[in-house]
């Protein structure tokens, strides 16, 4: 089964995304900060990673940068998750190598479109 990793320090956001992903044939793994996300990603090798921008210890962009340094994550889709749309934050995500940005609150349609783009085998 396809694995997806979501990192967000907000428990409610994690639960909402997990609920939305429950309609897809995926295994969802969660982390609450950047270092935990990196360690989990190295362990499970997810097909897609969603990183909240604003987390303790390191931002989602910083976690993405660390992952992109590893060859096994060179082509893994990494999606930014943010409640903000500041140019500084969006630029940091782009520079870090994030493929796309999802904005909170994430709609089921936006999440489904992202999955269809990066994991077409899951498209309904």
């Amino acid at each position: 089964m396809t694995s997806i990793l979501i990192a967000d320090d907000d428990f409610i956001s994690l639960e909402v995304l997990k609920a939305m992903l429950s309609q897809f044939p995926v295994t969802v793994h969660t982390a609450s900060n950047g270092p935990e996300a990196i360690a989990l990603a190295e362990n499970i090798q997810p097909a897609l990673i969603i990183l909240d921008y604003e987390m303790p210890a390191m931002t989602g962009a910083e976690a993405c940068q660390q992952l992109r340094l590893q060859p096994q994550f060179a082509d893994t889709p990494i999606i930014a998750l943010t409640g903000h749309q500041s140019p500084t934050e969006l630029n940091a995500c782009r520079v870090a190598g994030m493929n796309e940005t999802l904005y909170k609150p994430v709609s089921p349609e936006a999440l489904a479109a992202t999955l269809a783009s990066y994991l077409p085998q899951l498209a309904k």
Side-chain angles (χ1 to χ4, degrees):
M1 189 173 288
T2 303
S3 289
I4 295 177
L5 170 61
I6 306 169
D8 194 327
D9 61 316
D10 180 53
F11 178 76
I12 301 296
S13 292
L14 281 177
E15 290 302 308
V16 168
L17 283 171
K18 281 171 50 179
M20 282 194 259
L21 287 167
S22 69
Q23 66 177 311
F24 297 95
V26 297
T27 301
V28 178
H29 302 270
T30 61
S32 59
N33 60 54
E36 188 180 318
I38 292 168
L40 192 53
E42 291 169 346
N43 187 38
I44 64 169
Q45 302 290 308
L48 181 104
I49 301 170
I50 300 173
L51 299 172
D52 182 36
Y53 181 80
E54 210 167 293
M55 292 187 289
M58 73 175 37
T59 67
E62 292 166 335
C64 178
Q65 272 185 313
Q66 292 296 313
L67 289 167
R68 290 291 190 218
L69 292 173
Q70 301 179 48
Q72 70 267 36
F73 297 112
D75 298 320
T76 302
I78 301 178
I79 310 302
L81 180 63
T82 183
H84 312 287
Q85 295 185 26
S86 79
T88 303
E89 192 173 292
L90 296 176
N91 188 55
C93 292
R94 202 171 16 263
V95 168
M98 293 181 148
N99 298 81
E100 190 174 316
T101 302
L102 282 173
Y103 298 98
K104 292 179 181 181
V106 178
S107 72
E109 296 79 17
L111 185 60
T114 298
L115 291 179
S117 292
Y118 297 101
L119 303 174
Q121 71 273 22
L122 298 179
K124 292 186 172 188

